[in-house]
Amino acid sequence: MQWYTLFTLILAVPSSAIVRFHCSQLVTQRLDPLVNPGLIPSSHVHQIVGGNSFNATMDPKKDMPGHSTCTTCQFGDDFSNYWTATLYFRAQNGSYKRVHTIGNNQFETANGGLTIYYMQDAIYTSNQSSKVTAFKPGFRMFIGDISARSLEQAERFRQLTYVCMDTWTQRAPESIHFPNRPCPDGITISQRFPTCWDGVNLDSPDHMSHMAYPETGTFESGGPCPATHPVRTPQVFFEVVWDTKPFNNLTWPVDENNQTVNPFVWSFGDATGYANHADYVFGWKGDALQKIMDTDSYFNSTGSGARLPLQTIEQMNNCTQAPIVTEDIDGWLTSLSGGYQSQYS
Ligand SMILES: *[C@@H]1O[C@H](CO)[C@@H](O)[C@H](O)[C@H]1NC(C)=O
Ligand SMILES: *[C@@H]1O[C@H](CO)[C@@H](O)[C@H](O)[C@H]1NC(C)=O
Ligand SMILES: *[C@@H]1O[C@H](CO)[C@@H](O)[C@H](O)[C@H]1NC(C)=O
Ligand SMILES: *[C@@H]1O[C@H](CO)[C@@H](O)[C@H](O)[C@H]1NC(C)=O
Ligand SMILES: *[C@@H]1O[C@H](CO)[C@@H](O)[C@H](O)[C@H]1NC(C)=O
Ligand SMILES: *[C@@H]1O[C@H](CO)[C@@H](O)[C@H](O)[C@H]1NC(C)=O
Ligand SMILES: *[C@@H]1O[C@H](CO)[C@@H](O)[C@H](O)[C@H]1NC(C)=O
């Protein structure tokens, strides 16, 4: 028995892994290799982060770390791609303007993007101890329903939420629709993926049914996985901060009864917020993610466990990709790219 094994047994120190790290913006464009593979342009605009081998097609056999020459993620071994739709503001005259993402708390100088968590147990506790199995090369998943416009349609998903920020630290409770008032310091969305895998399929036709939520309870409460999806994976969790500040002084639009309505709209037209969705294509190098989850890795791997190479924010920001689909996504637009208008039901 090696000395550290003995040490661990004596102190019963769990190997505790929760990582939180940022990935800067790689590219913003109309591509979606998961839902619309090969389609150029895809239906709506996405903001994408991660390895720069991102493309219109992403064959599950593709060697993502091998095909990338850089990544926008703080963990230099993470060549995964993570993406979400983009947000737009609709002015009272009906024109749209894109809302940009900004770096998150502790990643303020990042060029927009997403903050990613992988965790074993509940967020923000350092006593994580449950065993989780990292994803395999070729694994991908989607969460959310792009056609959801009502609470009933959105409720089957857990934890796809919005937080209205008065300041970084003063935050309204999470909601599953867009905030119904201006948010002085921006809107943060949270997107948590299911955590039970069928153990066989790297993907499925709806990109969701190879995954499931715990049968009872929640991931955070240690709820067991169903027999159909027995493999407990890390909780993948995105946080995206939308800089709504440039729009705070603009008048909100009104409906046909002159009632003020929410001005924020997803790039595919949803102005309710119920269609919040996220995409994930696994692309970590070798067993780097499993190593992180099996060792004492707190936040950015500063624990005593796996010490994987970290990039500086300058290096993360330096990795970018030119869009393949070139169209105006940043001017005042009369319709959203792909021809969408905001829909409230
Ligand atoms: C994307 O795919 C096209 C061919 O479909 C290829 O020419 C291009 O080099 C690829 N780009 C990247 C970044 O892999
Ligand atoms: C619509 O309103 C926005 C915000 O006030 C303004 O910047 C834009 O120029 C207007 N567009 C048109 C076509 O009037
Ligand atoms: C972990 O710590 C939190 C609070 O710090 C506590 O509520 C929870 O019960 C602990 N979980 C375990 C498995 O020890
Ligand atoms: C919004 O209005 C307030 C008060 O008039 C002003 O202080 C602030 O600079 C304005 N913000 C923007 C982004 O124009
Ligand atoms: C809405 O407001 C405009 C301008 O104030 C007014 O002309 C119009 O009659 C109002 N419409 C309704 C349905 O109240
Ligand atoms: C790691 O995370 C800690 C706490 O979140 C933070 O203070 C520190 O600056 C981070 N280190 C790096 C290299 O990002
Ligand atoms: C950014 O990229 C350029 C060109 O590839 C390179 O010369 C430079 O050293 C990079 N800077 C950092 C901080 O990685």
Side-chain angles (χ1 to χ4, degrees):
M1 185 180 284
Q2 284 174 305
W3 69 269
Y4 53 81
T5 311
L6 186 64
F7 182 76
T8 302
L9 285 177
I10 290 168
L11 293 181
V13 176
S15 75
S16 174
I18 170 170
V19 285
R20 172 187 190 262
F21 60 96
H22 200 77
C23 302
S24 299
Q25 202 80 78
L26 176 71
V27 62
T28 300
Q29 65 177 338
R30 263 204 292 156
L31 283 191
D32 188 345
L34 188 52
V35 176
N36 300 139
L39 197 60
I40 306 174
S42 69
S43 64
H44 58 269
V45 180
H46 289 115
Q47 51 124 5
I48 299 128
V49 306
N52 71 339
S53 68
F54 176 83
N55 214 332
T57 57
M58 300 279 276
D59 190 316
K61 290 190 204 70
K62 172 176 158 183
D63 170 14
M64 293 177 59
H67 282 77
S68 297
T69 55
C70 66
T71 173
T72 71
C73 295
Q74 189 183 21
F75 277 103
D77 284 345
D78 186 7
F79 298 95
S80 304
N81 286 119
Y82 309 87
W83 66 94
T84 75
T86 55
L87 268 191
Y88 285 81
F89 173 84
R90 184 164 77 100
Q92 204 165 36
N93 63 14
S95 299
Y96 301 93
K97 183 102 167 104
R98 186 158 78 91
V99 181
H100 286 250
T101 56
I102 48 173
N104 205 340
N105 195 6
Q106 294 183 347
F107 304 108
E108 287 84 356
T109 58
N111 171 24
L114 273 66
T115 299
I116 314 287
Y117 296 74
Y118 287 89
M119 52 191 159
Q120 276 179 309
D121 291 306
I123 189 169
Y124 294 135
T125 66
S126 58
N127 56 350
Q128 316 240 330
S129 57
S130 310
K131 169 79 184 156
V132 289
T133 302
F135 308 101
K136 306 276 176 283
F139 180 90
R140 58 268 320 267
M141 61 179 162
F142 174 92
I143 191 65
D145 177 0
I146 170 172
S147 61
R149 297 290 180 275
S150 69
L151 179 64
E152 294 66 36
Q153 289 168 306
E155 265 175 341
R156 72 183 169 111
F157 303 106
R158 299 181 186 174
Q159 305 165 308
L160 296 172
T161 62
Y162 302 81
V163 167
C164 186
M165 300 192 295
D166 287 304
T167 67
W168 270 117
T169 48
Q170 267 199 331
R171 294 159 171 246
E174 290 179 290
S175 64
I176 65 171
H177 50 73
F178 280 122
N180 51 17
R181 64 174 176 89
C183 304
D185 223 5
I187 297 174
T188 295
I189 62 165
S190 295
Q191 300 169 315
R192 299 166 180 90
F193 286 84
T195 51
C196 300
W197 179 42
D198 71 10
V200 178
N201 297 295
L202 298 173
D203 196 2
S204 49
D206 64 357
H207 313 291
M208 291 192 282
S209 47
H210 57 314
M211 295 297 289
Y213 291 112
E215 192 168 38
T216 56
T218 61
F219 176 80
E220 288 81 356
S221 70
C225 283
T228 50
H229 296 75
V231 181
R232 192 168 190 271
T233 67
Q235 165 97 83
V236 181
F237 170 14
F238 300 177
E239 240 170 32
V240 191
V241 184
W242 300 93
D243 184 14
T244 57
K245 288 189 290 293
F247 307 102
N248 284 350
N249 287 357
L250 299 182
T251 313
W252 281 22
V254 292
D255 65 12
E256 60 281 5
N257 300 316
N258 282 346
Q259 297 296 306
T260 298
V261 291
N262 160 56
F264 295 104
V265 48
W266 284 116
S267 51
F268 49 93
D270 174 34
T272 65
Y274 292 124
N276 192 358
H277 68 272
D279 299 73
Y280 173 56
V281 176
F282 171 84
W284 284 76
K285 202 170 175 177
D287 63 350
L289 180 60
Q290 187 69 60
K291 230 183 234 158
I292 288 177
M293 301 317 297
D294 284 347
T295 55
D296 180 26
S297 307
Y298 194 59
F299 272 44
N300 46 21
S301 201
T302 50
S304 59
R307 290 188 179 275
L308 296 168
L310 294 179
Q311 300 201 93
T312 62
I313 289 188
E314 197 189 358
Q315 289 169 321
M316 292 154 57
N317 288 347
N318 211 17
C319 181
T320 57
Q321 195 187 59
I324 301 175
V325 179
T326 50
E327 59 187 340
D328 182 13
I329 55 171
D330 277 320
W332 281 98
L333 306 170
T334 52
S335 67
L336 301 167
S337 299
Y340 300 97
Q341 295 291 345
S342 51
Q343 304 140 18
Y344 290 89
S345 59

